[in-house]
Amino acid sequence: MTSVLPTPPAVTVVGIGADGWSGLPDGSREALAGAEVLIGGARQLALLPERCAGARVPWPSPLRPAVPALLAAHSGRRIAVLASGDPMHYGIGRALVEELGPDALRVLPHPSSLSLAAARLGWPLEDAEVVTLVGRPAARLAAALHDGRRILVLSAGAGTPEEIAALLRDQGFGPSRIRVLEQLGGARERIREGTADVWARPPADPLNVVAVECRRAPGAPRLGAVPGLPDSAYAHDGQLTKRHVRAATLGALAPAPGELLWDIGGGSGSIAVEWMRTHPSCRAVTVERDPVRAARISANADRLGVPGLRVVTGPAPAALTGLPVPDAVFIGGGLTAPGLLDACWDALPPGGRLVANTVTLESEALLADRYRRHGGELVRLAVAHAVPVGGFTGWRQAMPVTQWTAVKPPSRPDESESPSRPDEPESPRHPEGPESPSQPDGPGPTSPAGLREPAAHSPGDDR
């Protein structure tokens, strides 16, 4: 029987810390000394001794787009890539796996800066939230702020601690304790600390991790971790899916890690924002025809910690062209726009979810027709609030919201769009053509439900 030796990995990825060559185990040293090409940041390459004789190639900037060409230029040679700490934890290892595949890599990790920070602080690493701001806006930290939580932040550079302190003050977390851990594991290791509300330190060493112990200021708003944030958390012009309906809508959409939402008719962006807040890997695209509202959606997303929300300005369904395939679609307005419901349903893969809300009879008829054709759930949501009535208290009823939820089934060649309940009589399909633009088919933005169905060709106005 002849044994086949495995092909040796094309690239060795070596984690290195601030302690440089002296902190590397023998295996990592041998890999670096035997490499014909050494790729890494200028700071990392400077840590290597002369015995590492391979050609030294610094990463260009921006790094990620350069990876394929750089690896191709040195194909067939022994390549070693230097990485900070653990290459597979917010490191270059991810890009290399995406480019070459895991079998083409040999990864030799080093203790990460997060592990070293947890060791210095005495924090169980699994109990701390980790947020990276490397190549990302500081605004994404806002989603992790909860009273009593511990956060470890991977800094983008020397100015990151001051950015973090400013964000904490703006978010009502000024009393939070900040510790900046610099050059961890190196000869120049140092820890500086203070609170966000009085932070006035000079720029830190560029190689730093920021530890935050969250403390909410008295009177600052409390934002929970589940959908249904207070309406006051959003800037809006009345186009806002109100809190209780929003929570029910997110429950119907059922976000899962890594999934993508299309939010049609963004209004204030509340559905897309809270979809993304459910997990850091959740993504969303919101489509809003009004430029002022589109800018407001971006501002809301930044303030609530999801600056990665993509906002497309334009009318649906035309603005949907070219968007990535969604896992779920929410339609909060413009249901009577010609072709919108069909475009959204057709865009979904099998197993994708569609949720649509409306407050008007015209759009409710459309949803009833879709329910007859595709099944799913058709529900009516009614919310009432206690309000003063003279010297007493009574209920003020908001406009009821009709909601249709459906999951797209697998395609079958022999399956038509006929009703799943053949014993029911066929009914004429409600026309989807536009009404007169001068006749909006619902109440204005000051309606009790905070929802309105827009005029024809105006998806996005019922938030």
Side-chain angles (χ1 to χ4, degrees), residues 350-361:
R353 291 93 65 200
L354 190 149
V355 177
N357 290 357
T358 188
V359 296
T360 69
L361 293 174

Side-chain angles (χ1 to χ4, degrees), residues 43-56:
R43 177 185 61 82
Q44 296 161 339
L45 292 171
L47 297 172
L48 302 183
E50 292 183 3
R51 63 179 284 194
C52 297
R56 303 190 181 201

Side-chain angles (χ1 to χ4, degrees), residues 37 55 83 104 138 174 203 218 262 355 359 411:
V37 180
W262 284 4
V355 177
V359 296
S411 299

Side-chain angles (χ1 to χ4, degrees), residues 10-86:
V11 175
T12 300
V13 190
V14 180
I16 190 168
D19 49 357
W21 184 259
S22 65
L24 293 176
D26 291 342
S28 296
R29 293 185 182 187
E30 291 169 5
L32 293 171
E36 297 174 284
V37 180
L38 297 160
I39 303 175
R43 177 185 61 82
Q44 296 161 339
L45 292 171
L47 297 172
L48 302 183
E50 292 183 3
R51 63 179 284 194
C52 297
R56 303 190 181 201
V57 181
W59 287 115
S61 181
L63 186 154
R64 184 61 182 91
V67 171
L70 196 56
L71 293 175
H74 300 286
S75 178
R77 307 176 73 186
R78 295 189 303 277
I79 300 173
V81 175
L82 288 165
S84 294
D86 184 349

Side-chain angles (χ1 to χ4, degrees), residues 41-301:
R43 177 185 61 82
Q44 296 161 339
L45 292 171
L47 297 172
L48 302 183
E50 292 183 3
R51 63 179 284 194
C52 297
R56 303 190 181 201
V57 181
W59 287 115
S61 181
L63 186 154
R64 184 61 182 91
V67 171
L70 196 56
L71 293 175
H74 300 286
S75 178
R77 307 176 73 186
R78 295 189 303 277
I79 300 173
V81 175
L82 288 165
S84 294
D86 184 349
M88 302 306 298
H89 196 210
Y90 295 103
I92 190 61
R94 177 184 185 131
L96 295 174
V97 168
E98 291 172 350
E99 199 60 42
L100 300 173
D103 293 339
L105 297 181
R106 180 168 67 122
V107 180
L108 303 175
H110 188 276
S112 70
S113 59
L114 296 172
S115 295
L116 294 173
R120 302 296 186 269
L121 298 167
W123 289 5
L125 191 52
E126 67 272 17
D127 291 341
E129 185 91 9
V130 176
V131 177
T132 179
L133 298 185
V134 179
R136 298 165 175 84
R140 72 191 307 266
L141 178 60
L145 300 180
H146 299 283
D147 199 30
R149 286 291 287 167
R150 292 170 168 176
I151 306 173
L152 290 172
V153 184
L154 293 168
S155 280
T160 300
E162 177 55 45
E163 285 187 79
I164 291 173
L167 182 140
L168 290 168
R169 292 192 295 269
D170 291 345
Q171 293 283 335
F173 282 81
S176 299
R177 184 184 183 186
I178 297 176
R179 282 181 276 186
V180 181
L181 301 95
E182 305 173 358
Q183 289 284 337
L184 283 165
R188 295 186 291 120
E189 180 176 316
R190 180 176 66 163
I191 300 177
R192 297 187 294 166
E193 70 173 273
T195 57
D197 50 12
V198 293
W199 187 265
R201 304 287 192 277
D205 185 278
L207 194 62
N208 72 82
V209 173
V210 181
V212 179
E213 295 180 67
C214 297
R215 294 289 180 270
R216 192 173 70 249
R222 182 185 184 279
L223 302 182
V226 299
L229 299 181
D231 295 342
S232 59
Y234 295 93
H236 61 90
D237 60 0
Q239 304 307 310
L240 174 71
T241 301
K242 295 297 181 69
R243 181 179 193 175
H244 299 91
V245 173
R246 191 185 329 128
T249 299
L250 266 296
L253 287 167
E259 289 191 326
L260 172 67
L261 171 73
W262 284 4
D263 179 14
I264 312 301
S268 64
S270 62
I271 296 294
V273 164
E274 296 191 28
W275 168 281
M276 292 183 68
R277 281 175 61 95
T278 62
H279 193 272
S281 66
C282 284
R283 299 161 295 138
V285 179
T286 185
V287 177
E288 170 54 57
R289 68 180 179 86
D290 184 271
V292 174
R293 287 179 183 156
R296 189 180 294 118
I297 290 170
S298 294
N300 282 331

